[in-house]
Structure formats: structure tokens, C-alpha cells
Amino acid sequence: MATPVDPAEFFDPLNPVHVADPDEFMKASRKGCPVAKVSEHLYTANTDDVVRSVFDDTKRFSNRGNFSVGAEDVRFPFTVVTMADPPDHTVLRSRLLKSMAAARLRKLTPEVENIVRDAVGALPASGRVDLYADYVHFIPSAVLYALIGIPKAKWREVQTWSDAVVRVIPEPAHELPEFAALMGFLAKCVEERRAHPGDRHEDVLDNLCWADPGEVEMPALEVVCHIFQLVVAATDTTRALIANCVYRLLEERDRWEAVVADRSLLPNAIEESLRVDSPAQFMVRTAVEDVTLAECPVPAGKKVYLNIQSANHDENRWGEDSRTFRIDRPGATAHLAFGRGIHACIGAPLARIEARSAIGALMDAFPGMRLAPDAAWVKCGGAITRRVESVPVWLNGEQARSARQATRRR
Ligand code: HEM
């Protein structure tokens, strides 16, 4: 029998109240209902062991319908990698990896550092800023556009369209004017590349526009769909990682100071951020046959909400302090924030490079930075992304102290 859900207690991804502040509901689910039926179509999997096992089980679970928590699936004119199953997935992923293998992504490091340097340079020397809007926001999209091969002069414009689109995902975006603008622009990029066969580049556009022997020639619309999927996968997630990690470091001053003094602690702090505040909260799989998960029967055709965030807070996996951010947490990389198995995140090495560069540069420029006294952890809207809404800081420690004293006097 499917375990009955008490909506007042167990996590329900269809309940906006739970989505806005999910941690206590997820904890209740881990303790009392690891797998639960929450609607006619949807089951949740909330513990590390179950989420891990479904990620690994590509025979009994399909990626079609990924991201959709309702009856209707998000539809693309061509199947994109994150919604494909083998053997199509294997072919598509290998094609993408030609321009996105870890070694190729690492080669982007100088470009990432340039983008970060410009972003730090655009901040004032001191005073109050919102690090999310004024610093973090542009970095991941600029890096992605460099990887894709979008001309630099168009980056700002493309970002306004892609932000409007990413904001509504996983709801359908195709009726937005920005969606049409983005798709039209990408189609033009494909056309321009294909008009100049002698002009080759080491980027995603080049890879998808030109087939090597044995590869399929992709129609322009298919190239556009794969690039669109990258825009959705790479921007908000990486922004969330950088913003969340800076917030958690500044939230407890000792953490920030420890990492400023010893930068070798930064990579583990980034992994801990991915675990405690997982930027992609969930993925969705569809059962292709009747299965039983943690004693809960899931009939063929039903969807399973893989609760990445809850798995990453699982006390059985991470101990009783699982929701505490510890820069020295042992084994922090074992989180599921980048998924696992054949669909594990292709962009993970790039997201890590960006986070190290963006946070390291802030520490170099503003070691005395402090959270503004009125800063609060508020999760941004939207079901998929877990990101702090804003990161108000005083860039200079002295100013931060006087602002705090003024707040206390009030
Ligand atoms: C902190 C940042 C990021 C997080 C948390 C994240 C998270 C994830 C997760 C959980 C998956 C697994 C999807 C599934 O199992 O259905 C995934 C897949 C993917 N990610 Fe990321 N991602 C991040 C950044 C990026 C970046 C920067 C890129 C591209 C430059 C990227 C490209 C992809 C692609 C193409 C896939 C699909 C792989 C496949 O289906 O085989 N991601 N990501």
C-alpha cells in the first residue's frame, strides 16, 4: 500500500508553502515516509539511499518527463540530453562531451577569471551592495555564452531573454516573447556558423553545427534546442551555488575568516554549500514498469520526484548535524547535488571553477566584507532552484560595523 501522506507534516512538492520553506517537511518525510504518493501522477523519494538507487536504475526509470511534476510533460521539438534515455542519450551525451569534457571546461579557466575580474571591477570600492544582483548574477551566464560561442557583444541582450525564460521553467516558456527572441537569436548563430565552414572554433556551437564522420548532421532547430537546454541547466544553478556559499560563509563570521586565511578550505566549503543548499532541488523520473521503493509500490507510468535536497540532508547519511554547514565536513563531495550515474551533471567541473574563482576574487578584494545587519536567508521563488534571494553586504568591515551599531541604537 502507498503510504498515506499527511500534508500538514510530510513534504509535498505541489504545496507552495512546503516549496517556499521545505526543510522541516523534508525532515518529517525522511523520518516517517521516505517514499510517498502525493498526487495521482507523482511520488516523492526523500532519502539518500532511495534517491541514489533511482538515479542508478536506468532500466526501470526513464528520464522522459524530467522536471515535470504534473501530468503534462515539458515538450521540446527534439529530445534534449536530460530527457533522453539510452541509446539516444548515450549518443547525445558523447556528442556534447566533445566540447564539454572536464579537460575542455578547465581550459576555460582564464576566460572565467577575466569575467570575474570585470565583475569585481564593476563593484564600488566600499559601501553596501546586493552581491547577488550586483556581482553573482552575470558571471555564470557570461561563462556559458563563452563556452557556447555567442559573440561577446550580444551577452547582455541574450541574458535578458534567457533570464525571463529561466524564471518560469519548469512551467512552459514558449509563449513568452523572450523565448521567441532567444530561439530566433540562437537560430541565427547556427546559420552564421554554417555559412562559414572554414571558420572553426573550439566551442559548443561549432561542435553541434558540424558533424564528424559517423555523427548525425543536426537540423538547425535541434542545435538550438540543445543550446537552449544548456542555458536552462547552467545559469540559475551556478548563480545559486555562488550566492548560497558566500551567504553561508558570511553568516558565521568565523567561517569567512577561516577561508580568507586559508584558501585551501574553499573547495570543501563549496561542496558543503552544494549539499546544504542544493541549487537543483529535484529531478523527475518515470517508472517504466511497476516498482516498489522503500516498501511503497509505484505503478508503471507514474513519476518519481527525486528529492535531491532531502537526500543531501539525510541524517542517516550525514549524521545528526546534517543541516549544519561545516567547512571541514569529511567526505563532503559525496552529495547528490550534481545528480549521479549516466545523467550526472556535465557542467559540474565548470560550476566548481566558477565558484572558486568568484568567491576567491571577493575574498581578495574585500576580506573585511560583512553581511548587512538586515540580511536574512529567504529562498528565491520557483520550485527547482534553491538560492538565497539576495546577499546584502557591506564591502568594507569598518562601514559594516558602524551600520550594525546604528541598527542596534534604533
Ligand atoms: C551548481 C551548478 C549546477 C548544478 C547544481 C547542476 C545540477 C545538475 C543535476 C542534478 C543534473 C542531473 C540531471 C538528471 O539526473 O536528470 C545535471 C545535469 C546536467 N547539467 Fe548541470 N548543474 C549545474 C551546472 C551546470 C553547468 C554549468 C552546465 C553547463 C555548462 C550544466 C549542464 C548540465 C547538462 C548538459 C546536464 C545533463 C546531463 C545528462 O542528462 O546526461 N550544469 N546538472
Side-chain angles (χ1 to χ4, degrees), residues 55 63 66-67 80-84 89 92-93 96 100 105 140 143-144 147 226 229-242 274 277-285 306 308 336-352 354:
F55 268 133
N63 263 55
N66 201 359
F67 309 114
V80 292
V81 67
T82 186
M83 295 181 187
H89 172 262
L92 247 174
R93 185 168 167 114
L96 279 175
M100 294 179 67
L105 296 178
V143 171
L144 179 70
L147 174 71
H226 295 313
Q229 133 94 63
L230 287 182
V231 171
V232 174
T235 48
D236 253 18
T237 47
T238 313
R239 288 171 185 155
L241 167 59
I242 302 169
L274 284 159
D277 299 304
S278 304
Q281 293 273 276
F282 68 90
M283 293 293 142
V284 175
R285 297 293 189 262
L306 297 183
I308 291 176
L336 294 172
F338 288 123
R340 178 183 159 86
I342 64 167
H343 288 278
C345 180
I346 293 180
L350 187 58
R352 289 179 166 122
E354 291 180 53

Side-chain angles (χ1 to χ4, degrees), residues 155-179:
W155 287 1
R156 290 278 173 189
E157 198 178 0
V158 176
Q159 197 198 353
T160 59
W161 303 326
S162 82
D163 279 355
V165 170
V166 169
R167 213 169 292 134
V168 303
I169 298 279
E171 297 304 319
H174 57 269
E175 283 179 6
L176 295 179
E178 290 89 351
F179 178 80

Side-chain angles (χ1 to χ4, degrees), residues 207-227:
N207 173 23
L208 299 183
C209 282
W210 306 111
D212 279 337
E215 290 178 344
V216 291
E217 200 67 67
M218 289 185 186
L221 181 58
E222 184 174 4
V223 176
V224 169
C225 286
H226 295 313
I227 291 179

Side-chain angles (χ1 to χ4, degrees), residues 27-181:
K27 182 176 178 185
S29 292
R30 288 192 298 278
K31 298 271 181 253
C33 198
V35 176
K37 179 176 179 178
V38 290
S39 79
E40 200 40 53
H41 316 281
L42 190 68
Y43 292 68
T44 54
N46 299 296
T47 52
D48 175 87
D49 55 344
V50 181
V51 171
R52 224 169 256 272
S53 72
V54 178
F55 268 133
D56 287 346
D57 191 347
T58 50
K59 291 228 155 40
R60 297 191 305 162
F61 292 95
S62 162
N63 263 55
R64 71 167 190 268
N66 201 359
F67 309 114
S68 311
V69 293
E72 289 294 313
D73 293 348
V74 178
R75 298 226 176 268
F76 279 92
F78 290 89
T79 305
V80 292
V81 67
T82 186
M83 295 181 187
D85 293 318
D88 295 350
H89 172 262
T90 320
V91 174
L92 247 174
R93 185 168 167 114
S94 332
R95 179 78 176 259
L96 279 175
L97 278 172
K98 281 172 59 196
S99 46
M100 294 179 67
R104 162 71 190 119
L105 296 178
R106 277 196 294 274
K107 278 171 82 177
L108 272 178
T109 304
E111 182 76 60
V112 173
E113 284 169 355
N114 283 339
I115 289 165
V116 165
R117 196 173 308 117
D118 287 350
V120 172
L123 288 171
S126 63
R128 183 184 162 122
V129 298
D130 171 10
L131 274 186
Y132 177 68
D134 301 331
Y135 178 70
V136 174
H137 192 252
F138 185 58
I139 294 171
S141 35
V143 171
L144 179 70
Y145 302 155
L147 174 71
I148 294 171
I150 293 174
K152 199 166 185 173
K154 302 299 278 184
W155 287 1
R156 290 278 173 189
E157 198 178 0
V158 176
Q159 197 198 353
T160 59
W161 303 326
S162 82
D163 279 355
V165 170
V166 169
R167 213 169 292 134
V168 303
I169 298 279
E171 297 304 319
H174 57 269
E175 283 179 6
L176 295 179
E178 290 89 351
F179 178 80

